[in-house]
Amino acid sequence: LSFRGNDESATSSNRGNYLELLQFLADNDEKVKEQMAMVLRYVDDKGHVIERFVGVQHVTDTTSSSLKDAIDIFFSSNGLSFSKLRGQGYDGASNMRGELKGLKTKILREQPCAYYVHCFAHQLQLALVAVAKKNIDIASFFTTTNSVVNHVGASCKRRDALRAQLQEELVIAFENDCLITGRGLHQETSLKCAGDTRWSSHY
């Protein structure tokens, strides 16, 4: 296969297999797109606090300006107003909580009552990581797990062998009625290393 095209410019109809494949993946694979989850917490007419996941917003990048633009679009398209915003919560990354150019600062300039709270799930994750690193057995477990994930994930052949082995075990377990079945159970997922900031990777 030819990976280079005669004309690799953006206006070319045949930029070569490599660039065309990259463009296809960018256009069709949600996994390679930057996304921001939107969750609203509000008080209803009866005074109950309600929290709702309202969707995933595609963003071009994770700069505070792009994230703020995405939030502005979301608010305007759903008839929401910054004048009623009383809080905001994110992880501790500098693009989110930065004092000069962070997303929290951009929103506070527009609505001073929208107090920033470091996301509690993220704080819990960081606390669990700190505790896990202090326990020799747990630290050893995650080191070994990460080594296995890196070893298997580095080879398509090893990933396929693991997938085939797991499918065999699932079939046997189903036949012996050892697994609970139902919608959404036993879905195939990709291997991921435990990370200090990846939620739920340490618990």
Side-chain angles (χ1 to χ4, degrees):
L1 285 175
S2 172
F3 285 97
R4 300 290 305 265
N6 291 336
D7 178 6
E8 294 184 355
S9 67
T11 57
S12 172
S13 61
N14 184 6
R15 299 168 64 198
N17 292 332
Y18 180 71
L19 291 177
E20 293 291 342
L21 177 61
L22 285 179
Q23 187 63 52
F24 173 80
L25 290 173
D27 292 341
N28 296 290
D29 189 355
E30 294 299 317
K31 294 177 196 168
V32 298
K33 292 184 178 179
E34 291 289 354
Q35 298 174 338
M36 175 174 56
M38 305 289 285
V39 177
L40 293 180
R41 181 179 292 160
Y42 59 93
V43 178
D44 68 7
D45 295 338
K46 297 176 183 173
H48 298 117
V49 176
I50 310 290
E51 187 172 271
R52 293 279 186 261
F53 170 74
V54 292
V56 175
Q57 189 80 20
H58 170 68
V59 291
T60 54
D61 56 55
T62 57
T63 62
S64 59
S65 297
S66 292
L67 298 175
K68 175 66 167 67
D69 291 343
I71 291 171
D72 287 341
I73 290 167
F74 175 80
F75 266 61
S76 64
S77 65
N78 288 284
L80 301 172
S81 169
F82 270 97
S83 66
K84 295 185 179 181
L85 188 63
R86 294 296 177 263
Q88 51 181 318
Y90 321 106
D91 64 16
S94 62
N95 64 328
M96 303 304 254
R97 67 175 184 144
E99 294 295 326
L100 299 176
K101 296 182 181 179
L103 178 59
K104 111 176 161 174
T105 304
K106 290 179 184 294
I107 290 176
L108 281 170
R109 283 188 194 123
E110 193 169 332
Q111 175 47 276
C113 294
Y115 296 104
Y116 167 75
V117 177
H118 190 140
C119 173
F120 288 115
H122 191 254
Q123 287 182 30
L124 175 62
Q125 170 68 18
L126 295 174
L128 287 169
V129 168
V131 170
K133 286 181 177 177
K134 298 287 185 191
N135 183 301
I136 294 169
D137 293 332
I138 295 173
S140 175
F141 168 78
F142 281 111
T143 300
T144 303
T145 302
N146 282 345
S147 295
V148 169
V149 169
N150 287 334
H151 180 73
V152 172
S155 163
C156 292
K157 189 181 280 187
R158 288 190 288 261
R159 275 196 307 258
D160 289 344
L162 177 63
R163 184 178 291 119
Q165 179 66 36
L166 290 174
Q167 284 176 339
E168 277 182 37
E169 290 176 12
L170 273 176
V171 168
I172 292 168
F174 282 134
E175 288 171 352
N176 295 329
D177 205 25
C178 295
L179 283 179
I180 298 171
T181 59
R183 184 176 180 171
L185 296 177
H186 313 295
Q187 300 294 312
E188 184 175 314
T189 61
S190 59
L191 294 170
K192 296 208 182 327
C193 287
D196 288 1
T197 57
R198 180 175 293 123
W199 295 353
S200 79
S201 64
H202 279 73
Y203 59 93

